[in-house]
Amino acid sequence: MGAISDTGVSGRAQRALMPLFLISLGVVGIENALTRYFAVAAWSDYGYWIISIVMAGFALSGVVVALFRDTVVRFGGPLRAILPAAMILAAALGFVEITSNPFNPLRLQNPATWQAEVRNIALYYGALLPFFFLAGTYISLIFLQNHREVGRVYGYDLIGAAAGAGVALGLMFVLHPFVLAPALLIPIALAAFFERGRLKGLGVGLATLALAGGEYALFTGQAPAFSEYKAIYAPMNTPGSRVVGQVRSPQGYYVLLDDFTERVDADLSNNAQMLGVPGPPSTLGLYRDGARIAALPTAEGLDAAYAPAALSAAPYLLRPGARTLLIGVSGGWRAAEAQSLGAGDIDGVEAEPLLHRTLLEGLEDSPPIRLPRFRRLDDGPIAAALSAPEGGYGVIDISSDFIDTTPANMNGLTVEAFEAYLGALRPDGILSASVSIRDFPVYALRVLATARAALEARGADPAAHVLVYRSAWNVRILVSPTPFSAADITALEAFSSERSFDVAYAPRHTPAARPFNDLPRVNFATGEIVSTGPDDALAREIPDVLAGRPSPTARDFHVRAATLDRPAYYSSLRLENLPTLIQRLEVLPQAEIGGLVNVAVLGQAVVIAALVLMAPLLFRRRTGEPEPRRLWPGLYFPALGLGFLFLEILLIDKAAIFLNDYSTAFALVLTSMLFFSGVGSLIAGWTQARPKLTTGLSLIVVLGWGWLMYRYADALLIENLHLAAWLRGLIVVGAAAPVALALGTFFPMGLTQVGNGRLLPWAWALNGAFSVVATPLANLLSRDIGFSSLLYAGAGLYVIAFLLLPAAVSRRASSTPPPVLDLA
């Protein structure tokens, strides 16, 4: 096999870091591709599993490499030749397995079928964990072989990961989500071509054969498809249905369908025929990742003759001829409705990127929107309100599908957004917000709480400035800068009575004893109906919410105002009542399951992290020669794993508000953080002899950045929402760069201190294990406390890490390693 060398780096084979760059590129690219796959094949909430599986694989590999450290180093050359091929086969076979997995999220919520779905989840882990375990083993090996160049190694790793995120992002524009992962096997195979040493030919041959075999298995196996529980499944399989067009992008995989089931999603009165109003017209259906997001007009155009019977019509009848701002245009139908109801000039905000473009350009068989007195705005909802025309709007109308068209839209239903809307209205103007009560009335109460907070910030009495009316399916909440008049209340009562809608709240109004649309009170814990006859549970609780008093619903759900610091719309579950939630799992809205998924992933992550922390006990049992007793790595590397992810997730969510698009924010922040952290790691490699000085300067940057974020970020964010999208993107990158550069120095400085013994791969494993903990924990903290909690916790964890790091490079860190096989 070759001569034995006692050098710290076994010749050119270990010095070549281009393979590491390509492996990191492929691994992170596949991680992103799998996340997209889960968004299409299941709901995006289950994408948290991918992060969990990735970091669990890395953590497990670190522990195994630590246990067998001497063997791994001795056979490092053969392992580097074999591992790329093994990774390709593991990834290909794992992807084939997950595409045939019959997992159904709806059955997971059914008490009779959930056990089988838990087994299916375990099969996901079994299918994907081997690939990420092998990837973590390869990266751990590179660290061991180059322990004196940790900064350089980690820099290549992170910059390769940044490239992987960027490549995956670019491929999303051209490839179907189901073939992204197969395409990203190629960089892993290319890594073998950049290896050096006598076994390069073997590695190239194995990687080439593995790539050919893996791609054959992927493209000849069971083809991935939309699952039957996705909204697109039924219409796509309707006789005569036709796929009119497809669009691929990082925001999602869009399909435009033509089938006889597609109609405008308008909440119409049961009395529509008595009113002489036709039903909603046929449309095309636009689906993103299998979920319906809009109805687009056919070539026949927009015919909104149904509008007078719609629940949304009241504001236009109360303020005839008013200049209108539409928050969500719903493929153009909301604009057509407003115009048919006599609105004046209409401005429309459509935050969903494809819908925004479709208004101007059309999409395949759906024509562009050409309506007189209609103007499409390029701003997000808050920016549009802040730049309102002189004199203000008479009506600001938030569409019923606004909250579900894109994740960033939740920021449009916050206290800060409502304050901007109220400021954009003329004194007697009306803000109209639609809220679905199909699942729970709690969402209507939460939007009311948000309106109350915005009105109180203006010094107004909420009880006099709010009207609420509803159908069986939706609620319309009307808010005005000035108190509603008696004439307004009388007109709304007449409008509702004629259409069999119910006025749930108005000043000096007594709700009907027998409402048109029964909404009974239900005991959530038992599932029993409390009402003894026709009832309006919402009407009973609105006065409490407007007065700021606890309502009965608040015992089981969060009834609180949403803010830009805590904007999550689907976050009503009180997770402290976990036993009750599990017992009532079958009735929970699918959108609320994300919180429970986070709890499950967090529980699993804590177990993994605890096992990795105890790994040194295994070192002692296996070798009989324990590593030196050093406690600081057991705290230092977990602090980095938690702190880095906390700050990264904070930046992603702030950027989502600023860019008004979550997917773009995720891609920009992830790529920027990885790249600049990699640059920071390279800098650390040059200054590794002075760990305290380097990390001390970095800590000053982190704390200074945190103070600026705390004091100025939200204000500057709102003030600059009017800037062009490309300029806002540059600002996001500029905001991420300094903190990422500083954060990138801590990890290599710590690895330099632990040396090249078993503690080095253990440190890698700790960082991975606590990164698994960080993702669900950060989501739960931001959901229930606010994004500011991530800023405080992240900065505090880096202070702790700085205090824990030894002041000088330890002797063991610079000691001579055991002999390795020289394959150069």
Side-chain angles (χ1 to χ4, degrees):
M1 295 292 292
I4 299 293
S5 167
D6 63 355
T7 58
V9 180
S10 65
R12 291 170 297 171
Q14 280 89 348
R15 288 196 299 269
L17 294 179
M18 191 62 187
L20 172 63
F21 174 88
L22 290 168
I23 292 292
S24 295
L25 187 158
V27 170
V28 172
I30 289 173
E31 177 186 354
N32 280 269
L34 289 171
T35 303
R36 286 294 306 126
Y37 172 84
F38 269 81
V40 177
W43 279 291
S44 57
D45 292 325
Y46 295 92
Y48 296 132
W49 287 342
I50 298 301
I51 300 171
S52 172
I53 294 170
V54 172
M55 303 314 295
F58 282 6
L60 181 61
S61 69
V63 172
V64 171
V65 170
L67 285 171
F68 299 94
R69 184 258 176 210
D70 293 345
T71 303
V72 168
V73 172
R74 183 173 295 276
F75 292 97
L79 282 172
R80 286 179 64 161
I82 294 169
L83 281 173
M87 279 187 270
I88 292 169
L89 289 177
L93 295 175
F95 193 75
V96 169
E97 286 298 315
I98 68 171
T99 58
S100 60
N101 190 318
F103 173 71
N104 186 329
L106 297 182
R107 289 200 294 264
L108 185 62
Q109 293 183 242
N110 188 323
T113 58
W114 68 268
Q115 294 94 335
E117 299 312 313
V118 171
R119 286 194 295 271
N120 288 332
I121 293 171
L123 290 175
Y124 277 135
Y125 277 78
L128 296 175
L129 193 65
F131 167 69
F132 294 107
F133 171 80
L134 292 171
T137 300
Y138 183 94
I139 296 170
S140 294
L141 171 61
I142 300 297
F143 273 113
L144 284 172
Q145 291 180 327
N146 298 271
H147 67 95
R148 289 178 179 154
E149 297 182 279
V150 162
R152 183 164 166 255
V153 173
Y154 194 50
Y156 270 74
D157 179 31
L158 289 178
I159 294 173
V167 169
L169 180 70
L171 289 177
M172 288 177 194
F173 286 103
V174 294
L175 296 181
H176 192 288
F178 293 158
V179 298
L180 273 175
L184 287 160
L185 294 177
I186 296 173
I188 297 175
L190 288 176
F193 289 80
F194 287 87
E195 288 286 359
R196 298 179 183 180
R198 298 175 184 176
L199 296 181
K200 175 179 178 180
L202 174 64
V204 168
L206 289 174
T208 303
L209 288 174
L211 182 64
E215 299 290 2
Y216 177 81
L218 287 167
F219 288 102
T220 58
Q222 178 177 326
F226 289 109
S227 297
E228 61 184 15
Y229 60 83
K230 300 289 280 192
I232 196 174
Y233 184 85
M236 183 174 273
N237 290 279
T238 297
S241 68
R242 180 172 62 97
V243 175
V244 177
Q246 302 177 56
V247 176
R248 302 180 181 100
S249 81
Q251 283 83 24
Y253 170 53
Y254 299 85
V255 177
L256 185 62
L257 284 184
D258 181 8
D259 64 275
F260 74 86
T261 68
E262 305 293 347
R263 293 287 188 276
V264 176
D265 187 16
D267 191 352
L268 299 185
S269 165
N270 293 330
N271 304 340
Q273 286 188 334
M274 295 172 56
L275 296 170
V277 174
S282 298
T283 67
L284 303 175
L286 182 63
Y287 295 79
R288 184 186 62 228
D289 293 342
R292 192 174 190 267
I293 61 169
L296 298 186
T298 64
E300 297 177 2
L302 296 162
D303 179 7
Y306 61 86
L311 186 72
S312 57
Y316 301 99
L317 303 182
L318 294 176
R319 300 293 182 265
R323 181 159 191 170
T324 298
L325 173 63
L326 298 174
I327 308 296
V329 186
S330 305
W333 293 104
R334 298 293 89 84
E337 291 171 13
Q339 197 166 89
S340 71
L341 291 168
D345 292 339
I346 302 169
D347 294 334
V349 171
E350 187 56 77
E352 209 289 327
L354 184 63
L355 286 176
H356 179 78
R357 189 170 77 240
T358 298
L359 292 176
L360 182 64
E361 302 173 4
L363 180 63
E364 301 295 342
D365 291 357
S366 182
I369 305 305
R370 299 281 188 265
L371 292 173
R373 305 194 312 280
F374 171 70
R375 180 178 61 144
R376 183 197 70 162
L377 300 181
D378 292 329
D379 297 323
I382 298 177
L386 292 175
S387 57
E390 186 177 354
Y393 291 105
V395 172
I396 296 179
D397 188 351
I398 303 175
S399 72
S400 57
D401 55 7
F402 170 75
I403 191 63
D404 292 319
T405 54
T406 184
N409 280 358
M410 63 183 176
N411 301 305
L413 290 175
T414 59
V415 173
E416 293 86 347
F418 273 46
E419 289 180 23
Y421 301 151
L422 291 171
L425 289 169
R426 69 192 196 200
D428 68 337
I430 295 176
L431 167 62
S432 174
S434 178
V435 186
S436 172
I437 54 173
R438 293 172 188 264
D439 295 312
F440 285 127
V442 65
Y443 300 115
L445 298 177
R446 291 189 62 203
V447 173
L448 274 169
T450 301
R452 182 197 74 231
L455 287 165
E456 288 176 342
R458 295 171 59 90
D461 175 15
H465 294 251
V466 172
L467 302 176
V468 182
Y469 67 107
R470 68 175 185 86
S471 68
W473 312 112
N474 296 283
V475 169
R476 276 277 167 175
I477 299 171
L478 308 184
V479 188
S480 180
T482 54
F484 283 104
S485 66
D488 288 332
I489 297 169
T490 300
L492 181 63
E493 290 171 337
F495 168 88
S496 299
S497 177
E498 188 178 20
R499 292 160 178 79
S500 296
F501 297 143
D502 295 294
V503 177
Y505 175 81
R508 301 173 302 281
H509 169 82
T510 302
R514 298 183 63 84
F516 291 112
N517 305 280
D518 187 27
L519 185 61
R521 289 170 290 156
V522 177
N523 184 312
F524 176 72
T526 63
E528 297 176 352
I529 296 177
V530 178
S531 303
T532 57
D535 201 353
D536 190 335
L538 194 63
R540 292 176 178 273
E541 299 199 40
I542 290 174
D544 288 335
V545 174
L546 291 179
R549 298 188 297 265
S551 66
T553 296
R555 289 194 298 266
D556 300 308
F557 300 97
H558 290 299
V559 180
R560 60 191 180 193
T563 66
L564 288 180
D565 189 53
R566 192 184 57 207
Y569 184 79
Y570 294 111
S571 59
S572 298
L573 303 184
R574 287 188 176 274
L575 297 178
E576 62 269 27
N577 299 333
L578 196 58
T580 301
L581 295 176
I582 293 174
Q583 183 181 1
R584 302 288 293 145
L585 193 63
E586 74 276 8
V587 302
L588 297 180
Q590 177 58 43
E592 291 280 1
I593 296 300
L596 296 179
V597 172
N598 273 295
V599 171
V601 172
L602 178 61
Q604 166 207 286
V606 169
V607 172
I608 293 172
L611 292 174
V612 173
L613 271 174
M614 293 188 293
L617 299 177
L618 297 177
F619 304 161
R620 182 181 297 112
R621 179 173 297 180
R622 174 174 168 75
T623 64
E625 298 178 1
E627 292 278 322
R629 292 179 177 272
R630 287 184 285 177
L631 296 178
W632 70 267
L635 299 174
Y636 181 84
F637 292 101
L640 299 188
L642 292 168
F644 188 93
L645 265 294
F646 282 179
L647 296 179
E648 182 179 59
I649 290 171
L650 167 73
L651 263 176
I652 289 171
D653 285 292
K654 291 295 183 183
I657 300 171
F658 193 44
L659 301 175
N660 202 41
D661 177 38
Y662 191 87
S663 298
T664 303
F666 178 85
L668 269 181
V669 173
L670 177 64
T671 305
S672 301
M673 290 289 285
L674 290 172
F675 176 80
F676 288 107
S677 293
V679 175
S681 181
L682 293 175
I683 293 171
W686 301 330
T687 62
Q688 65 184 27
R690 297 182 176 181
K692 276 295 188 181
L693 177 61
T694 302
T695 54
L697 292 173
S698 295
L699 182 62
I700 291 171
V701 173
V702 171
L703 295 179
W705 178 88
W707 182 80
L708 291 172
M709 287 287 291
Y710 171 75
R711 287 295 303 270
Y712 302 111
D714 286 343
L716 290 174
L717 181 152
I718 292 174
E719 290 173 7
N720 292 285
L721 287 170
H722 65 282
L723 297 176
W726 67 268
L727 186 54
R728 281 179 282 145
L730 286 179
I731 292 173
V732 168
V733 173
V739 71
L741 199 72
L743 297 181
T745 65
F746 280 83
F747 189 70
M749 283 300 180
L751 288 184
T752 300
Q753 294 284 54
V754 299
N756 68 324
R758 287 183 174 83
L759 289 184
L760 192 150
W762 180 58
W764 165 260
L766 280 174
N767 186 260
F770 280 86
S771 294
V772 183
V773 174
T775 301
L777 181 58
N779 288 326
L780 293 172
L781 287 173
S782 62
R783 172 191 185 275
D784 285 339
I785 302 176
F787 294 127
S788 56
S789 65
L790 302 182
L791 180 62
Y792 305 145
L797 284 164
Y798 273 91
V799 171
I800 293 171
F802 172 75
L803 296 175
L804 288 169
L805 185 68
V809 178
S810 66
R811 292 182 179 180
R812 184 172 178 83
S814 59
S815 63
T816 301
V820 298
L821 286 177
D822 184 357
L823 299 167

